[in-house]
Amino acid sequence: MAATPTILLVDDDEPTRRILQRWLAHLGVRAHILEAEDGQQALAYVEAHCQSSDTPPALLVLLDLNMPVMDGLEFLENHGQLPLVCREGIPVIVLSGGASNAAEQARVRALAADVKFKPLDLESLAALVQQHLPFALPGS
């Protein structure tokens, strides 16, 4: 039996993290849900996750762009420097209000598995989980 997957919610806005938590529960997602308030906390978790075993359980990162300490783009750039084993199988989905300029938008799109614009809705979240962690949904 495969290990329970994890979804890492990375957003400095606590109400946004709570809404995502409620929606994931409503969808019946079978995953550990962890939270980080900034990219630095998230990066530390991803690094620890990669070193947790020879085959760490699946991890999906839902990442805000605008955060203090380390923003989403900095997280993506640092994540891209991790060993391949730490990047493979860890899709990073950016949940953004929109990048500030075209160059930043292009950089984010190049580094992330996908970009979804806020506000995200329940159907969009369900589609993301279905695409990246289908085995975490009921009936799978």
Side-chain angles (χ1 to χ4, degrees):
M1 181 175 182
T4 303
T6 298
I7 298 174
L8 178 59
L9 307 176
V10 188
D11 198 314
D12 61 320
D13 184 58
E14 193 269 339
T16 297
R17 294 191 316 267
R18 289 293 150 257
I19 288 168
L20 290 172
Q21 284 260 18
R22 279 196 300 268
W23 286 355
L24 290 166
H26 176 77
L27 292 170
V29 171
R30 295 182 307 265
H32 297 292
I33 311 298
L34 299 177
E35 299 181 14
E37 295 179 3
D38 60 60
Q40 188 173 22
Q41 289 178 358
L43 191 64
Y45 177 79
V46 169
E47 289 173 328
H49 177 83
C50 292
Q51 297 168 1
S52 65
S53 71
D54 289 337
T55 54
L59 172 63
L60 173 63
V61 179
L62 301 179
L63 177 73
D64 184 34
L65 275 186
N66 299 314
M67 297 177 289
V69 185
M70 177 187 286
D71 67 25
L73 183 55
E74 290 173 297
F75 169 88
L76 288 167
E77 289 169 343
N78 281 282
H79 181 261
Q81 300 302 312
L82 294 174
L84 185 59
V85 69
C86 288
R87 296 187 321 261
E88 279 187 336
I90 302 179
V92 179
I93 310 301
V94 171
L95 305 179
S96 171
S100 59
N101 59 55
E104 184 176 292
Q105 287 178 5
R107 186 82 177 124
V108 167
R109 289 195 180 280
L111 295 170
D114 201 353
V115 177
K116 297 295 181 190
F117 292 100
K118 290 180 179 179
L120 191 68
D121 58 31
L122 184 61
E123 288 180 10
S124 297
L125 181 62
L128 284 174
V129 174
Q130 176 64 44
Q131 180 179 356
H132 297 285
L133 287 179
F135 49 88
L137 290 170
S140 55

